[in-house]
Amino acid sequence: EDARLQRQGKIQIRFQPQSLGQNGTSVSLEDPFRDALAEMAAARQQSVAGVIAAIDQKRPQDRNLSASIRIAVLEWARRTHS
């Protein structure tokens, strides 16, 4: 994996390039969110990129994509694991 790593405390943040439509963008996610995003995609039988694209389409324009992904993952985890 060629994602750049940055260590912050004991949690690594990965800068992962994602291709959304005709635009390329990067999202910064801590490993626990990244892992949960992969679980979320598997549960939906979608690719991670597909889930990110769906989140991107629904997010408020004043919220960045990384924050929107974290919120979507948290909401999914609460529904799934409660």
Side-chain angles (χ1 to χ4, degrees), residues 3-79:
R4 197 169 42 128
L5 296 179
Q6 180 181 52
R7 185 161 288 283
Q8 297 225 333
K10 294 184 180 184
I11 296 178
Q12 291 181 339
I13 299 174
R14 297 180 189 267
F15 296 91
Q16 183 66 41
Q18 291 293 327
S19 189
L20 300 173
Q22 294 180 349
N23 299 325
T25 188
S26 294
V27 294
S28 305
L29 292 176
E30 298 81 2
D31 284 343
F33 282 103
R34 187 176 163 86
D35 295 344
L37 177 62
E39 289 177 34
M40 181 178 167
R44 293 181 176 185
Q45 298 181 338
Q46 292 182 298
S47 66
V48 170
V51 171
I52 290 173
I55 292 167
D56 188 39
Q57 288 177 347
K58 295 178 185 176
R59 73 181 167 102
Q61 291 304 307
D62 63 341
R63 184 184 302 152
N64 71 44
L65 182 55
S66 296
S68 294
I69 292 169
R70 288 183 190 94
I71 291 167
V73 166
L74 180 59
E75 289 172 348
W76 172 80
R78 285 181 172 167
R79 285 191 309 270

